[in-house]
Amino acid sequence: MPSRRLQTFCVLIFLLCLWLTDKNEITSLWILLPAGLLVVASFIFSDLINEWWFHRIPPDISSYERNWLANFVPYYAKLREDARKRFDSKLAKQLFRKEFIHMAEKDIPEEWKIMALAPAVYLGLDHTSKDADHYNRIVFYMHQFPSPKQDYLHVSEVEHEDGVLIFSVPHLESSYIKPESYFNTANYEWGEVFFKIHGLPQSWSENKVALINDCCQSIQITESDLLKYLCQDELSYGGMIMYYFLSFPAIMQIKWKEQYDYIEQFVLN
């Protein structure tokens, strides 16, 4: 992030001033105070600094990343050319803004980041939404994992309080390579985030069982088998609605038009 680079530079200036000045001399305050204020300002105005930088030098994704999206992300492939450019720009900014953590402490391939972030960008859950910007950390495991709030092995999770999404990479990766055979946990978890932010209409509650069953039939899996795959006791209604929308939009538009239209108003098109 541009602001982090500036913050690092300001801290180095302050440390250099601290090292070079004679702290016994009152005049040293005339150097240390401005340097300290510069550090504080770099943190306070970090968002403005980033916006200014991105406005002057808009980030972009590589041609390889565009081809990857076109080949593995159906809703991206269907976007108009102008919408694709907006998607690319938003995704590039998100790649800068988000904090990505590999629990094995290894480098994180760009494809993993895109797999985790693509649904968020398409659904308008990017930096332009203050509520969505709260979800600023993406954690990757190379296997099923436990967590403080779910102390059993599972394959994905969203932690709303701390704004963290967690994924098992093998499960996430498989869903993009063979979408007909594997459940996309990124679509599912960002659906949970989407309805946490925008709300789940109360009138939809009566359709919960029917919609989840219908979505499972489209995936060609039983609800019990899907629960075993996710290692959960209950499916997220919001997550399943969004999975339906992103994976089977043509079917959902016919069978669940109210839900489809509600989500459609927020997506990038």
Side-chain angles (χ1 to χ4, degrees), residues 1-5 46-61 88-98 126-128 133:
M1 291 290 288
S3 62
R4 291 178 186 171
R5 297 175 186 174
S46 59
D47 289 340
L48 291 176
I49 292 167
N50 290 330
E51 289 303 321
W52 176 83
W53 181 268
F54 289 143
H55 180 73
R56 286 178 58 88
I57 308 175
D60 200 2
I61 60 175
D88 295 347
S89 176
K90 287 176 177 287
L91 177 60
K93 290 179 181 179
Q94 289 299 90
L95 291 171
F96 270 107
R97 289 174 178 272
K98 298 297 185 189
D126 57 82
H127 65 282
T128 57
D133 206 34

PDB file of all heavy atoms in Angstrom, residues 1-5 46-61 88-98 126-128 133:
ATOM      1  N   MET A   1       0.833  -1.193   0.000  1.00  0.00           N
ATOM      2  CA  MET A   1       0.000   0.000   0.000  1.00  0.00           C
ATOM      3  C   MET A   1       0.869   1.246   0.000  1.00  0.00           C
ATOM      4  O   MET A   1       1.879   1.307   0.718  1.00  0.00           O
ATOM      5  CB  MET A   1      -0.892   0.006   1.238  1.00  0.00           C
ATOM      6  CG  MET A   1      -1.972  -1.061   1.223  1.00  0.00           C
ATOM      7  SD  MET A   1      -3.241  -0.733   0.001  1.00  0.00           S
ATOM      8  CE  MET A   1      -4.081   0.633   0.782  1.00  0.00           C
ATOM      9  N   PRO A   2       0.535   2.276  -0.777  1.00  0.00           N
ATOM     10  CA  PRO A   2       1.319   3.512  -0.791  1.00  0.00           C
ATOM     11  C   PRO A   2       1.467   4.137   0.592  1.00  0.00           C
ATOM     12  O   PRO A   2       2.532   4.636   0.948  1.00  0.00           O
ATOM     13  CB  PRO A   2       0.508   4.417  -1.730  1.00  0.00           C
ATOM     14  CG  PRO A   2      -0.241   3.474  -2.599  1.00  0.00           C
ATOM     15  CD  PRO A   2      -0.557   2.286  -1.760  1.00  0.00           C
ATOM     16  N   SER A   3       0.389   4.108   1.381  1.00  0.00           N
ATOM     17  CA  SER A   3       0.447   4.727   2.708  1.00  0.00           C
ATOM     18  C   SER A   3       1.451   4.012   3.608  1.00  0.00           C
ATOM     19  O   SER A   3       2.139   4.655   4.407  1.00  0.00           O
ATOM     20  CB  SER A   3      -0.935   4.712   3.366  1.00  0.00           C
ATOM     21  OG  SER A   3      -1.395   3.389   3.562  1.00  0.00           O
ATOM     22  N   ARG A   4       1.559   2.710   3.486  1.00  0.00           N
ATOM     23  CA  ARG A   4       2.504   1.963   4.321  1.00  0.00           C
ATOM     24  C   ARG A   4       3.946   2.312   3.962  1.00  0.00           C
ATOM     25  O   ARG A   4       4.815   2.377   4.837  1.00  0.00           O
ATOM     26  CB  ARG A   4       2.262   0.462   4.159  1.00  0.00           C
ATOM     27  CG  ARG A   4       0.939  -0.004   4.770  1.00  0.00           C
ATOM     28  CD  ARG A   4       0.707  -1.470   4.542  1.00  0.00           C
ATOM     29  NE  ARG A   4      -0.623  -1.874   5.019  1.00  0.00           N
ATOM     30  CZ  ARG A   4      -1.167  -3.061   4.794  1.00  0.00           C
ATOM     31  NH1 ARG A   4      -0.496  -3.976   4.111  1.00  0.00           N
ATOM     32  NH2 ARG A   4      -2.365  -3.347   5.258  1.00  0.00           N
ATOM     33  N   ARG A   5       4.190   2.494   2.680  1.00  0.00           N
ATOM     34  CA  ARG A   5       5.534   2.899   2.266  1.00  0.00           C
ATOM     35  C   ARG A   5       5.883   4.270   2.837  1.00  0.00           C
ATOM     36  O   ARG A   5       7.004   4.494   3.313  1.00  0.00           O
ATOM     37  CB  ARG A   5       5.622   2.916   0.741  1.00  0.00           C
ATOM     38  CG  ARG A   5       5.426   1.553   0.091  1.00  0.00           C
ATOM     39  CD  ARG A   5       5.398   1.660  -1.416  1.00  0.00           C
ATOM     40  NE  ARG A   5       5.080   0.376  -2.028  1.00  0.00           N
ATOM     41  CZ  ARG A   5       4.877   0.206  -3.329  1.00  0.00           C
ATOM     42  NH1 ARG A   5       4.952   1.254  -4.147  1.00  0.00           N
ATOM     43  NH2 ARG A   5       4.595  -0.977  -3.812  1.00  0.00           N
ATOM     44  N   SER A  46      -3.856   7.970   6.177  1.00  0.00           N
ATOM     45  CA  SER A  46      -3.461   6.859   5.304  1.00  0.00           C
ATOM     46  C   SER A  46      -4.484   6.603   4.193  1.00  0.00           C
ATOM     47  O   SER A  46      -4.115   6.362   3.042  1.00  0.00           O
ATOM     48  CB  SER A  46      -3.248   5.582   6.118  1.00  0.00           C
ATOM     49  OG  SER A  46      -4.424   5.226   6.820  1.00  0.00           O
ATOM     50  N   ASP A  47      -5.784   6.673   4.540  1.00  0.00           N
ATOM     51  CA  ASP A  47      -6.813   6.429   3.521  1.00  0.00           C
ATOM     52  C   ASP A  47      -6.779   7.490   2.430  1.00  0.00           C
ATOM     53  O   ASP A  47      -6.911   7.182   1.237  1.00  0.00           O
ATOM     54  CB  ASP A  47      -8.197   6.396   4.168  1.00  0.00           C
ATOM     55  CG  ASP A  47      -8.413   5.143   5.011  1.00  0.00           C
ATOM     56  OD1 ASP A  47      -7.682   4.157   4.799  1.00  0.00           O
ATOM     57  OD2 ASP A  47      -9.298   5.157   5.883  1.00  0.00           O
ATOM     58  N   LEU A  48      -6.606   8.752   2.829  1.00  0.00           N
ATOM     59  CA  LEU A  48      -6.537   9.832   1.843  1.00  0.00           C
ATOM     60  C   LEU A  48      -5.304   9.689   0.967  1.00  0.00           C
ATOM     61  O   LEU A  48      -5.356   9.947  -0.246  1.00  0.00           O
ATOM     62  CB  LEU A  48      -6.520  11.188   2.555  1.00  0.00           C
ATOM     63  CG  LEU A  48      -7.808  11.601   3.265  1.00  0.00           C
ATOM     64  CD1 LEU A  48      -7.608  12.913   4.014  1.00  0.00           C
ATOM     65  CD2 LEU A  48      -8.942  11.748   2.256  1.00  0.00           C
ATOM     66  N   ILE A  49      -4.208   9.276   1.561  1.00  0.00           N
ATOM     67  CA  ILE A  49      -2.962   9.080   0.799  1.00  0.00           C
ATOM     68  C   ILE A  49      -3.160   7.994  -0.252  1.00  0.00           C
ATOM     69  O   ILE A  49      -2.758   8.146  -1.413  1.00  0.00           O
ATOM     70  CB  ILE A  49      -1.805   8.704   1.749  1.00  0.00           C
ATOM     71  CG1 ILE A  49      -1.457   9.897   2.644  1.00  0.00           C
ATOM     72  CG2 ILE A  49      -0.571   8.261   0.960  1.00  0.00           C
ATOM     73  CD1 ILE A  49      -0.560   9.547   3.819  1.00  0.00           C
ATOM     74  N   ASN A  50      -3.788   6.898   0.160  1.00  0.00           N
ATOM     75  CA  ASN A  50      -4.024   5.797  -0.782  1.00  0.00           C
ATOM     76  C   ASN A  50      -4.928   6.228  -1.922  1.00  0.00           C
ATOM     77  O   ASN A  50      -4.671   5.902  -3.092  1.00  0.00           O
ATOM     78  CB  ASN A  50      -4.648   4.604  -0.050  1.00  0.00           C
ATOM     79  CG  ASN A  50      -3.673   3.930   0.895  1.00  0.00           C
ATOM     80  OD1 ASN A  50      -2.463   3.933   0.671  1.00  0.00           O
ATOM     81  ND2 ASN A  50      -4.190   3.348   1.957  1.00  0.00           N
ATOM     82  N   GLU A  51      -6.014   6.947  -1.599  1.00  0.00           N
ATOM     83  CA  GLU A  51      -6.940   7.390  -2.628  1.00  0.00           C
ATOM     84  C   GLU A  51      -6.256   8.346  -3.600  1.00  0.00           C
ATOM     85  O   GLU A  51      -6.477   8.280  -4.809  1.00  0.00           O
ATOM     86  CB  GLU A  51      -8.165   8.060  -1.996  1.00  0.00           C
ATOM     87  CG  GLU A  51      -9.098   7.092  -1.288  1.00  0.00           C
ATOM     88  CD  GLU A  51      -9.593   5.988  -2.194  1.00  0.00           C
ATOM     89  OE1 GLU A  51      -9.874   6.259  -3.383  1.00  0.00           O
ATOM     90  OE2 GLU A  51      -9.665   4.832  -1.737  1.00  0.00           O
ATOM     91  N   TRP A  52      -5.447   9.250  -3.055  1.00  0.00           N
ATOM     92  CA  TRP A  52      -4.724  10.188  -3.918  1.00  0.00           C
ATOM     93  C   TRP A  52      -3.778   9.429  -4.840  1.00  0.00           C
ATOM     94  O   TRP A  52      -3.707   9.708  -6.037  1.00  0.00           O
ATOM     95  CB  TRP A  52      -3.932  11.171  -3.053  1.00  0.00           C
ATOM     96  CG  TRP A  52      -3.068  12.116  -3.843  1.00  0.00           C
ATOM     97  CD1 TRP A  52      -3.457  13.283  -4.441  1.00  0.00           C
ATOM     98  CD2 TRP A  52      -1.667  11.969  -4.119  1.00  0.00           C
ATOM     99  NE1 TRP A  52      -2.382  13.878  -5.076  1.00  0.00           N
ATOM    100  CE2 TRP A  52      -1.279  13.089  -4.900  1.00  0.00           C
ATOM    101  CE3 TRP A  52      -0.704  11.006  -3.802  1.00  0.00           C
ATOM    102  CZ2 TRP A  52       0.026  13.266  -5.353  1.00  0.00           C
ATOM    103  CZ3 TRP A  52       0.588  11.175  -4.253  1.00  0.00           C
ATOM    104  CH2 TRP A  52       0.950  12.287  -5.015  1.00  0.00           C
ATOM    105  N   TRP A  53      -3.072   8.463  -4.307  1.00  0.00           N
ATOM    106  CA  TRP A  53      -2.107   7.704  -5.104  1.00  0.00           C
ATOM    107  C   TRP A  53      -2.807   6.880  -6.189  1.00  0.00           C
ATOM    108  O   TRP A  53      -2.389   6.869  -7.344  1.00  0.00           O
ATOM    109  CB  TRP A  53      -1.301   6.784  -4.186  1.00  0.00           C
ATOM    110  CG  TRP A  53      -0.261   5.986  -4.914  1.00  0.00           C
ATOM    111  CD1 TRP A  53      -0.399   4.734  -5.451  1.00  0.00           C
ATOM    112  CD2 TRP A  53       1.078   6.389  -5.221  1.00  0.00           C
ATOM    113  NE1 TRP A  53       0.751   4.331  -6.049  1.00  0.00           N
ATOM    114  CE2 TRP A  53       1.689   5.330  -5.926  1.00  0.00           C
ATOM    115  CE3 TRP A  53       1.814   7.545  -4.949  1.00  0.00           C
ATOM    116  CZ2 TRP A  53       3.001   5.389  -6.380  1.00  0.00           C
ATOM    117  CZ3 TRP A  53       3.121   7.607  -5.396  1.00  0.00           C
ATOM    118  CH2 TRP A  53       3.701   6.540  -6.101  1.00  0.00           C
ATOM    119  N   PHE A  54      -3.884   6.189  -5.798  1.00  0.00           N
ATOM    120  CA  PHE A  54      -4.593   5.355  -6.755  1.00  0.00           C
ATOM    121  C   PHE A  54      -5.289   6.191  -7.832  1.00  0.00           C
ATOM    122  O   PHE A  54      -5.513   5.718  -8.947  1.00  0.00           O
ATOM    123  CB  PHE A  54      -5.620   4.475  -6.047  1.00  0.00           C
ATOM    124  CG  PHE A  54      -5.011   3.364  -5.230  1.00  0.00           C
ATOM    125  CD1 PHE A  54      -5.569   2.979  -4.021  1.00  0.00           C
ATOM    126  CD2 PHE A  54      -3.879   2.705  -5.670  1.00  0.00           C
ATOM    127  CE1 PHE A  54      -5.009   1.959  -3.283  1.00  0.00           C
ATOM    128  CE2 PHE A  54      -3.306   1.678  -4.932  1.00  0.00           C
ATOM    129  CZ  PHE A  54      -3.873   1.310  -3.739  1.00  0.00           C
ATOM    130  N   HIS A  55      -5.647   7.444  -7.500  1.00  0.00           N
ATOM    131  CA  HIS A  55      -6.252   8.329  -8.488  1.00  0.00           C
ATOM    132  C   HIS A  55      -5.212   8.765  -9.516  1.00  0.00           C
ATOM    133  O   HIS A  55      -5.514   8.845 -10.717  1.00  0.00           O
ATOM    134  CB  HIS A  55      -6.862   9.550  -7.800  1.00  0.00           C
ATOM    135  CG  HIS A  55      -7.505  10.511  -8.751  1.00  0.00           C
ATOM    136  ND1 HIS A  55      -8.698  10.245  -9.384  1.00  0.00           N
ATOM    137  CD2 HIS A  55      -7.103  11.744  -9.187  1.00  0.00           C
ATOM    138  CE1 HIS A  55      -9.011  11.263 -10.166  1.00  0.00           C
ATOM    139  NE2 HIS A  55      -8.069  12.181 -10.064  1.00  0.00           N
ATOM    140  N   ARG A  56      -4.014   9.035  -9.046  1.00  0.00           N
ATOM    141  CA  ARG A  56      -2.946   9.464  -9.952  1.00  0.00           C
ATOM    142  C   ARG A  56      -2.350   8.299 -10.747  1.00  0.00           C
ATOM    143  O   ARG A  56      -2.063   8.434 -11.940  1.00  0.00           O
ATOM    144  CB  ARG A  56      -1.814  10.145  -9.159  1.00  0.00           C
ATOM    145  CG  ARG A  56      -2.144  11.538  -8.665  1.00  0.00           C
ATOM    146  CD  ARG A  56      -0.995  12.109  -7.854  1.00  0.00           C
ATOM    147  NE  ARG A  56       0.242  12.160  -8.621  1.00  0.00           N
ATOM    148  CZ  ARG A  56       0.609  13.165  -9.393  1.00  0.00           C
ATOM    149  NH1 ARG A  56      -0.188  14.216  -9.511  1.00  0.00           N
ATOM    150  NH2 ARG A  56       1.743  13.144 -10.050  1.00  0.00           N
ATOM    151  N   ILE A  57      -2.186   7.158 -10.068  1.00  0.00           N
ATOM    152  CA  ILE A  57      -1.591   5.985 -10.721  1.00  0.00           C
ATOM    153  C   ILE A  57      -2.504   4.784 -10.451  1.00  0.00           C
ATOM    154  O   ILE A  57      -2.259   4.011  -9.520  1.00  0.00           O
ATOM    155  CB  ILE A  57      -0.162   5.704 -10.196  1.00  0.00           C
ATOM    156  CG1 ILE A  57       0.688   6.969 -10.277  1.00  0.00           C
ATOM    157  CG2 ILE A  57       0.480   4.564 -10.974  1.00  0.00           C
ATOM    158  CD1 ILE A  57       2.070   6.816  -9.682  1.00  0.00           C
ATOM    159  N   PRO A  58      -3.562   4.624 -11.237  1.00  0.00           N
ATOM    160  CA  PRO A  58      -4.511   3.531 -10.985  1.00  0.00           C
ATOM    161  C   PRO A  58      -3.812   2.173 -11.131  1.00  0.00           C
ATOM    162  O   PRO A  58      -3.115   1.929 -12.118  1.00  0.00           O
ATOM    163  CB  PRO A  58      -5.563   3.716 -12.087  1.00  0.00           C
ATOM    164  CG  PRO A  58      -5.411   5.135 -12.534  1.00  0.00           C
ATOM    165  CD  PRO A  58      -3.964   5.462 -12.374  1.00  0.00           C
ATOM    166  N   PRO A  59      -3.971   1.293 -10.153  1.00  0.00           N
ATOM    167  CA  PRO A  59      -3.373  -0.043 -10.268  1.00  0.00           C
ATOM    168  C   PRO A  59      -4.137  -0.884 -11.286  1.00  0.00           C
ATOM    169  O   PRO A  59      -5.296  -0.592 -11.599  1.00  0.00           O
ATOM    170  CB  PRO A  59      -3.515  -0.616  -8.858  1.00  0.00           C
ATOM    171  CG  PRO A  59      -4.728   0.063  -8.321  1.00  0.00           C
ATOM    172  CD  PRO A  59      -4.719   1.451  -8.901  1.00  0.00           C
ATOM    173  N   ASP A  60      -3.515  -1.904 -11.788  1.00  0.00           N
ATOM    174  CA  ASP A  60      -4.160  -2.782 -12.762  1.00  0.00           C
ATOM    175  C   ASP A  60      -3.655  -4.195 -12.561  1.00  0.00           C
ATOM    176  O   ASP A  60      -2.599  -4.405 -11.963  1.00  0.00           O
ATOM    177  CB  ASP A  60      -3.870  -2.305 -14.189  1.00  0.00           C
ATOM    178  CG  ASP A  60      -4.871  -2.848 -15.195  1.00  0.00           C
ATOM    179  OD1 ASP A  60      -5.808  -3.567 -14.777  1.00  0.00           O
ATOM    180  OD2 ASP A  60      -4.728  -2.561 -16.390  1.00  0.00           O
ATOM    181  N   ILE A  61      -4.417  -5.165 -13.049  1.00  0.00           N
ATOM    182  CA  ILE A  61      -3.973  -6.544 -12.974  1.00  0.00           C
ATOM    183  C   ILE A  61      -3.247  -6.902 -14.267  1.00  0.00           C
ATOM    184  O   ILE A  61      -3.354  -6.199 -15.274  1.00  0.00           O
ATOM    185  CB  ILE A  61      -5.153  -7.510 -12.723  1.00  0.00           C
ATOM    186  CG1 ILE A  61      -6.181  -7.405 -13.854  1.00  0.00           C
ATOM    187  CG2 ILE A  61      -5.788  -7.226 -11.373  1.00  0.00           C
ATOM    188  CD1 ILE A  61      -7.320  -8.410 -13.731  1.00  0.00           C
ATOM    189  N   ASP A  88     -11.452  -5.128 -13.115  1.00  0.00           N
ATOM    190  CA  ASP A  88      -9.986  -5.233 -13.036  1.00  0.00           C
ATOM    191  C   ASP A  88      -9.412  -4.175 -12.101  1.00  0.00           C
ATOM    192  O   ASP A  88      -8.528  -4.455 -11.286  1.00  0.00           O
ATOM    193  CB  ASP A  88      -9.370  -5.092 -14.427  1.00  0.00           C
ATOM    194  CG  ASP A  88      -9.759  -6.221 -15.371  1.00  0.00           C
ATOM    195  OD1 ASP A  88     -10.295  -7.238 -14.888  1.00  0.00           O
ATOM    196  OD2 ASP A  88      -9.538  -6.071 -16.590  1.00  0.00           O
ATOM    197  N   SER A  89      -9.912  -2.948 -12.236  1.00  0.00           N
ATOM    198  CA  SER A  89      -9.410  -1.851 -11.419  1.00  0.00           C
ATOM    199  C   SER A  89      -9.737  -2.067  -9.945  1.00  0.00           C
ATOM    200  O   SER A  89      -8.889  -1.872  -9.061  1.00  0.00           O
ATOM    201  CB  SER A  89     -10.015  -0.526 -11.899  1.00  0.00           C
ATOM    202  OG  SER A  89      -9.612   0.543 -11.081  1.00  0.00           O
ATOM    203  N   LYS A  90     -10.982  -2.468  -9.673  1.00  0.00           N
ATOM    204  CA  LYS A  90     -11.389  -2.715  -8.284  1.00  0.00           C
ATOM    205  C   LYS A  90     -10.597  -3.877  -7.679  1.00  0.00           C
ATOM    206  O   LYS A  90     -10.165  -3.815  -6.525  1.00  0.00           O
ATOM    207  CB  LYS A  90     -12.886  -3.007  -8.215  1.00  0.00           C
ATOM    208  CG  LYS A  90     -13.782  -1.789  -8.437  1.00  0.00           C
ATOM    209  CD  LYS A  90     -15.247  -2.202  -8.448  1.00  0.00           C
ATOM    210  CE  LYS A  90     -16.154  -0.991  -8.605  1.00  0.00           C
ATOM    211  NZ  LYS A  90     -16.206  -0.179  -7.377  1.00  0.00           N
ATOM    212  N   LEU A  91     -10.406  -4.935  -8.459  1.00  0.00           N
ATOM    213  CA  LEU A  91      -9.656  -6.086  -7.971  1.00  0.00           C
ATOM    214  C   LEU A  91      -8.213  -5.700  -7.672  1.00  0.00           C
ATOM    215  O   LEU A  91      -7.654  -6.104  -6.640  1.00  0.00           O
ATOM    216  CB  LEU A  91      -9.700  -7.221  -8.996  1.00  0.00           C
ATOM    217  CG  LEU A  91      -8.884  -8.471  -8.647  1.00  0.00           C
ATOM    218  CD1 LEU A  91      -9.364  -9.095  -7.343  1.00  0.00           C
ATOM    219  CD2 LEU A  91      -8.958  -9.495  -9.786  1.00  0.00           C
ATOM    220  N   ALA A  92      -7.600  -4.922  -8.562  1.00  0.00           N
ATOM    221  CA  ALA A  92      -6.212  -4.493  -8.354  1.00  0.00           C
ATOM    222  C   ALA A  92      -6.077  -3.703  -7.050  1.00  0.00           C
ATOM    223  O   ALA A  92      -5.117  -3.890  -6.296  1.00  0.00           O
ATOM    224  CB  ALA A  92      -5.744  -3.651  -9.539  1.00  0.00           C
ATOM    225  N   LYS A  93      -7.045  -2.831  -6.770  1.00  0.00           N
ATOM    226  CA  LYS A  93      -7.011  -2.063  -5.523  1.00  0.00           C
ATOM    227  C   LYS A  93      -7.192  -2.976  -4.317  1.00  0.00           C
ATOM    228  O   LYS A  93      -6.529  -2.801  -3.294  1.00  0.00           O
ATOM    229  CB  LYS A  93      -8.100  -0.981  -5.533  1.00  0.00           C
ATOM    230  CG  LYS A  93      -7.827   0.151  -6.509  1.00  0.00           C
ATOM    231  CD  LYS A  93      -8.944   1.178  -6.482  1.00  0.00           C
ATOM    232  CE  LYS A  93      -8.674   2.308  -7.478  1.00  0.00           C
ATOM    233  NZ  LYS A  93      -9.765   3.318  -7.485  1.00  0.00           N
ATOM    234  N   GLN A  94      -8.091  -3.961  -4.444  1.00  0.00           N
ATOM    235  CA  GLN A  94      -8.307  -4.886  -3.338  1.00  0.00           C
ATOM    236  C   GLN A  94      -7.058  -5.714  -3.050  1.00  0.00           C
ATOM    237  O   GLN A  94      -6.759  -6.021  -1.898  1.00  0.00           O
ATOM    238  CB  GLN A  94      -9.484  -5.811  -3.648  1.00  0.00           C
ATOM    239  CG  GLN A  94     -10.840  -5.137  -3.618  1.00  0.00           C
ATOM    240  CD  GLN A  94     -11.154  -4.559  -2.247  1.00  0.00           C
ATOM    241  OE1 GLN A  94     -10.836  -3.411  -1.949  1.00  0.00           O
ATOM    242  NE2 GLN A  94     -11.777  -5.345  -1.407  1.00  0.00           N
ATOM    243  N   LEU A  95      -6.341  -6.074  -4.086  1.00  0.00           N
ATOM    244  CA  LEU A  95      -5.109  -6.840  -3.898  1.00  0.00           C
ATOM    245  C   LEU A  95      -4.077  -6.024  -3.117  1.00  0.00           C
ATOM    246  O   LEU A  95      -3.259  -6.591  -2.385  1.00  0.00           O
ATOM    247  CB  LEU A  95      -4.536  -7.262  -5.260  1.00  0.00           C
ATOM    248  CG  LEU A  95      -5.359  -8.309  -6.023  1.00  0.00           C
ATOM    249  CD1 LEU A  95      -4.827  -8.480  -7.443  1.00  0.00           C
ATOM    250  CD2 LEU A  95      -5.341  -9.646  -5.291  1.00  0.00           C
ATOM    251  N   PHE A  96      -4.116  -4.712  -3.275  1.00  0.00           N
ATOM    252  CA  PHE A  96      -3.244  -3.825  -2.501  1.00  0.00           C
ATOM    253  C   PHE A  96      -3.744  -3.671  -1.064  1.00  0.00           C
ATOM    254  O   PHE A  96      -2.961  -3.650  -0.112  1.00  0.00           O
ATOM    255  CB  PHE A  96      -3.172  -2.441  -3.146  1.00  0.00           C
ATOM    256  CG  PHE A  96      -2.065  -2.289  -4.144  1.00  0.00           C
ATOM    257  CD1 PHE A  96      -2.341  -2.231  -5.496  1.00  0.00           C
ATOM    258  CD2 PHE A  96      -0.746  -2.194  -3.740  1.00  0.00           C
ATOM    259  CE1 PHE A  96      -1.330  -2.090  -6.432  1.00  0.00           C
ATOM    260  CE2 PHE A  96       0.282  -2.046  -4.653  1.00  0.00           C
ATOM    261  CZ  PHE A  96      -0.014  -1.993  -6.005  1.00  0.00           C
ATOM    262  N   ARG A  97      -5.059  -3.552  -0.924  1.00  0.00           N
ATOM    263  CA  ARG A  97      -5.631  -3.155   0.364  1.00  0.00           C
ATOM    264  C   ARG A  97      -5.736  -4.298   1.373  1.00  0.00           C
ATOM    265  O   ARG A  97      -5.594  -4.082   2.568  1.00  0.00           O
ATOM    266  CB  ARG A  97      -7.037  -2.572   0.144  1.00  0.00           C
ATOM    267  CG  ARG A  97      -7.049  -1.215  -0.524  1.00  0.00           C
ATOM    268  CD  ARG A  97      -8.471  -0.782  -0.839  1.00  0.00           C
ATOM    269  NE  ARG A  97      -8.508   0.545  -1.429  1.00  0.00           N
ATOM    270  CZ  ARG A  97      -8.567   1.682  -0.741  1.00  0.00           C
ATOM    271  NH1 ARG A  97      -8.611   1.635   0.571  1.00  0.00           N
ATOM    272  NH2 ARG A  97      -8.593   2.839  -1.353  1.00  0.00           N
ATOM    273  N   LYS A  98      -6.031  -5.494   0.885  1.00  0.00           N
ATOM    274  CA  LYS A  98      -6.263  -6.607   1.800  1.00  0.00           C
ATOM    275  C   LYS A  98      -4.954  -7.143   2.381  1.00  0.00           C
ATOM    276  O   LYS A  98      -3.893  -7.076   1.756  1.00  0.00           O
ATOM    277  CB  LYS A  98      -6.987  -7.747   1.086  1.00  0.00           C
ATOM    278  CG  LYS A  98      -8.362  -7.398   0.548  1.00  0.00           C
ATOM    279  CD  LYS A  98      -9.342  -7.029   1.641  1.00  0.00           C
ATOM    280  CE  LYS A  98     -10.738  -6.793   1.074  1.00  0.00           C
ATOM    281  NZ  LYS A  98     -11.658  -6.226   2.069  1.00  0.00           N
ATOM    282  N   ASP A 126     -16.253  -4.188  -1.956  1.00  0.00           N
ATOM    283  CA  ASP A 126     -14.868  -3.738  -2.045  1.00  0.00           C
ATOM    284  C   ASP A 126     -14.675  -2.475  -1.212  1.00  0.00           C
ATOM    285  O   ASP A 126     -15.520  -2.144  -0.374  1.00  0.00           O
ATOM    286  CB  ASP A 126     -14.475  -3.500  -3.512  1.00  0.00           C
ATOM    287  CG  ASP A 126     -15.391  -2.490  -4.184  1.00  0.00           C
ATOM    288  OD1 ASP A 126     -15.164  -1.283  -4.001  1.00  0.00           O
ATOM    289  OD2 ASP A 126     -16.347  -2.894  -4.877  1.00  0.00           O
ATOM    290  N   HIS A 127     -13.585  -1.762  -1.451  1.00  0.00           N
ATOM    291  CA  HIS A 127     -13.233  -0.602  -0.629  1.00  0.00           C
ATOM    292  C   HIS A 127     -14.241   0.537  -0.733  1.00  0.00           C
ATOM    293  O   HIS A 127     -14.248   1.437   0.098  1.00  0.00           O
ATOM    294  CB  HIS A 127     -11.849  -0.090  -1.022  1.00  0.00           C
ATOM    295  CG  HIS A 127     -11.800   0.441  -2.416  1.00  0.00           C
ATOM    296  ND1 HIS A 127     -11.736  -0.386  -3.522  1.00  0.00           N
ATOM    297  CD2 HIS A 127     -11.817   1.711  -2.897  1.00  0.00           C
ATOM    298  CE1 HIS A 127     -11.718   0.355  -4.616  1.00  0.00           C
ATOM    299  NE2 HIS A 127     -11.765   1.619  -4.279  1.00  0.00           N
ATOM    300  N   THR A 128     -15.092   0.529  -1.772  1.00  0.00           N
ATOM    301  CA  THR A 128     -16.082   1.596  -1.916  1.00  0.00           C
ATOM    302  C   THR A 128     -17.214   1.450  -0.894  1.00  0.00           C
ATOM    303  O   THR A 128     -18.004   2.371  -0.717  1.00  0.00           O
ATOM    304  CB  THR A 128     -16.677   1.595  -3.335  1.00  0.00           C
ATOM    305  OG1 THR A 128     -17.248   0.301  -3.605  1.00  0.00           O
ATOM    306  CG2 THR A 128     -15.593   1.872  -4.371  1.00  0.00           C
ATOM    307  N   ASP A 133     -15.340  -2.999   3.625  1.00  0.00           N
ATOM    308  CA  ASP A 133     -13.903  -2.767   3.807  1.00  0.00           C
ATOM    309  C   ASP A 133     -13.432  -3.273   5.164  1.00  0.00           C
ATOM    310  O   ASP A 133     -12.232  -3.467   5.383  1.00  0.00           O
ATOM    311  CB  ASP A 133     -13.596  -1.275   3.661  1.00  0.00           C
ATOM    312  CG  ASP A 133     -12.166  -1.020   3.218  1.00  0.00           C
ATOM    313  OD1 ASP A 133     -11.628  -1.839   2.453  1.00  0.00           O
ATOM    314  OD2 ASP A 133     -11.592  -0.002   3.634  1.00  0.00           O
TER     315      ASP A 133
END
